[in-house]
């Protein structure tokens, strides 16, 4: 299944949930605050900008934001909120597409580096981020910690969320470091809506090595956007990589 097939017009139209889920103020505000601070008065580039969930409020905060995005339907949704002059978007693959200009901040949030399904593409993505940054510039990655401790030997699937009307189920191919997330949404009828997305999961240590290959140093790693300590029990991390300042 190609990313273009996954992020189609139907998914793009359903993506935004204003005020709730990943669009809830308590999710968005700490992320936008932190990214605005890390941009340090310069310009930001979002890899896989999607419908502008983060980019729109970040631009409203006064940070100039450009995007790279593979899916035209996702960009069309973004265009209902911000025009090309406000948030320019280059349609293409974040592992290779070049946006004009230099940036103090490149960011790639909501686990999206895992949408690149090979190690090679993920390394290329780090190199592409480095290519766009000024000396001292930062690349921020938000990514979940693989939950393999929950996968008993001999089993290939885990339920990671179960609540009324929703079941989140992951199926693993541990040989290739792949996981497919299955999101089942259902009501009292016999029908369920299924959204599936394939990912290549990455351990924080592997991510750091990819960063090193592209010339970055790890500056900070926290468990969330508000700066909670990253521990062995953390389910996610916000990692800030930096190109060492010249001299
Ligand atoms: C989970 S959404 C995240 C969107 C947005 N960053 C956000 O935080 O809401 C994943 C996005 O990544 C895009 N995407 C997937 N693979 C990509 C690639 N190789 N290059 C650019 N965009 C990609 C998809 O089209 C989709 O818009």
């Amino acid at each position: 299944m190609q990313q273009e097939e996954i992020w189609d017009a139907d998914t793009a139209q359903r993506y935004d949930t204003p005020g709730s889920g990943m669009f809830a103020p308590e999710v968005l505000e700490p992320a936008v605050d932190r990214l605005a601070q890390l941009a340090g008065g310069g310009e930001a580039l979002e890899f896989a900008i999607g419908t502008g969930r983060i980019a729109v409020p970040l631009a409203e905060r006064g940070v100039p934001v450009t995007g790279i995005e593979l899916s035209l339907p996702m960009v069309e949704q973004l265009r209902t909120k911000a025009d090309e002059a406000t948030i320019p978007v280059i349609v293409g693959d974040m592992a290779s597409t070049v946006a004009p200009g230099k940036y103090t901040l490149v960011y790639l949030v909501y686990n999206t580096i895992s949408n690149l399904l090979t190690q090679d593409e993920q390394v290329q993505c780090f190199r592409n981020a480095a290519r766009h940054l000024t000396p001292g510039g930062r690349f921020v990655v938000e990514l979940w910690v693989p939950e393999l401790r929950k996968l008993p030997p001999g089993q290939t699937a885990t339920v990671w969320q179960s609540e009324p009307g929703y079941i989140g189920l992951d199926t693993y191919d541990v040989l290739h470091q792949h996981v497919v997330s299955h999101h089942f949404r259902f009501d009292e009828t016999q029908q369920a809506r299924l959204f599936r997305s394939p990912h290549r999961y990455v351990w924080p240590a592997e991510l750091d090595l990819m960063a090193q290959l592209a010339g970055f140093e790890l500056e900070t790693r926290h468990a969330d956007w508000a700066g909670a300590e990253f521990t062995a029990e953390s389910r996610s991390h916000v990692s800030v990589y930096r190109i060492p300042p010249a001299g």
Side-chain angles (χ1 to χ4, degrees), residues 109-153:
V109 298
Y110 214 71
N111 303 324
T112 304
I113 194 164
S114 71
N115 289 25
L116 298 169
L117 297 180
T118 65
Q119 187 184 57
D120 188 49
E121 286 174 294
Q122 291 175 344
V123 170
Q124 289 311 320
C125 184
F126 270 94
R127 293 196 202 282
N128 201 28
R131 181 177 296 141
H132 285 94
L133 286 168
T134 53
R138 293 178 170 95
F139 182 36
V140 178
V141 179
E142 178 191 26
L143 185 62
W144 93 101
V145 177
E147 299 202 314
L148 286 192
R149 282 192 295 169
K150 288 190 179 161
L151 190 69

Side-chain angles (χ1 to χ4, degrees), residues 5-43:
E5 295 171 59
I6 297 167
W7 304 100
D8 62 7
D10 186 48
T11 301
Q13 267 160 26
R14 292 173 187 281
Y15 190 81
D16 287 22
T17 54
S20 70
M22 64 201 287
F23 286 79
E26 62 271 24
V27 176
L28 281 183
E29 281 167 14
V32 172
D33 285 348
R34 186 86 203 284
L35 290 169
Q37 176 227 326
L38 288 169
E43 295 193 23

Side-chain angles (χ1 to χ4, degrees), residues 141-189:
V141 179
E142 178 191 26
L143 185 62
W144 93 101
V145 177
E147 299 202 314
L148 286 192
R149 282 192 295 169
K150 288 190 179 161
L151 190 69
Q155 209 163 295
T156 57
T158 60
V159 173
W160 58 274
Q161 201 168 326
S162 171
E163 59 187 43
Y166 177 79
I167 290 177
L169 173 69
D170 282 346
T171 53
Y172 284 86
D173 170 356
V174 290
L175 186 61
H176 298 101
Q177 222 165 294
H178 281 171
V179 60
V180 178
S181 291
H182 307 250
H183 305 263
F184 295 92
R185 291 192 170 79
F186 51 91
D187 53 26
E188 60 287 343
T189 69

Side-chain angles (χ1 to χ4, degrees), residues 7 15 46 48 50 53 69-71 74 92-94 109 112 116:
W7 304 100
Y15 190 81
E46 180 167 357
R53 183 180 67 94
E69 168 59 49
L70 205 55
S71 157
M74 293 293 273
D93 185 341
M94 61 187 168
V109 298
T112 304
L116 298 169

